[in-house]
Each structure stands twice: as structure tokens, then as C-alpha cells.
Amino acid sequence: MGDIYRALADPTRRALLDALAAVNGQTLYALCGALLERGISPTRQAVSQHLAVLEDAGLVIVRRQGRYKFHDLDTRPLREIAQRWPDTPGAT
């Protein structure tokens, strides 16, 4: 689970997850555009590296169609975190 926390720690990676939550199955090019709309302008190489971290953490699934790679959000690791520490009534 350590990779999940590392992946979520970076604001650019969180913005990528937000972009995928809004429109799943995006290419690298589309994700770069989505980041630009959010005022973030990393290089394609930097976005690719961020996506690799998210993929290693299990938060993004990559699928190939022809010569294109599509990135899909996978929220299962986040649900595992929520199950690990369930909400306890009366806790502050």
C-alpha cells in the first residue's frame, strides 16, 4: 500500500486522477490537455512518468488499442484503504 500513498502525495498525479474520474479512458495527449485546462503544464514525458507511478500503485490501468494507449482509473486500491480504517462512530 505504500505506493498508493506516494502516488497520491503529488498534486499533478491527483489532477491526473481527477481528469480520469471526469473522463475515463484517455490517451497521454488528452491527459496533457486536461492538465493544461487545470493550469498545470508539465511535459509529456513528465506526465508519462506520473502515469507510470499511478499504474505501479494500481490506480491506473493501461490498455492498448492499435498504436494508442488508453488510461483508465481503478479505484479498488482506494476502497482497500477505506476498508483498512473503517469509520468508527464517536471518533474525532
Side-chain angles (χ1 to χ4, degrees):
M1 275 208 187
D3 291 337
I4 294 171
Y5 302 113
R6 179 176 167 253
L8 294 173
D10 186 88
T12 300
R13 290 193 283 270
R14 290 192 305 269
L16 284 167
L17 293 175
D18 290 340
L20 288 172
V23 179
N24 214 10
Q26 295 189 59
T27 63
L28 174 63
Y29 180 79
L31 287 167
C32 288
L35 288 179
L36 279 173
E37 289 175 5
R38 289 171 166 78
I40 304 169
S41 57
T43 64
R44 282 191 305 179
Q45 182 179 4
V47 174
S48 182
Q49 290 172 350
H50 284 301
L51 287 168
V53 171
L54 292 169
E55 184 180 7
D56 288 344
L59 294 166
V60 169
I61 297 172
V62 178
R63 59 185 165 85
R64 291 185 181 273
Q65 278 186 308
R67 49 186 256 191
Y68 296 100
K69 286 173 46 175
F70 293 90
H71 302 85
D72 296 297
L73 177 63
D74 186 356
T75 59
R76 285 179 292 180
L78 298 174
R79 287 192 299 263
E80 290 174 14
I81 290 172
Q83 291 170 354
R84 183 175 179 176
W85 294 293
D87 187 25
T88 307
T92 54

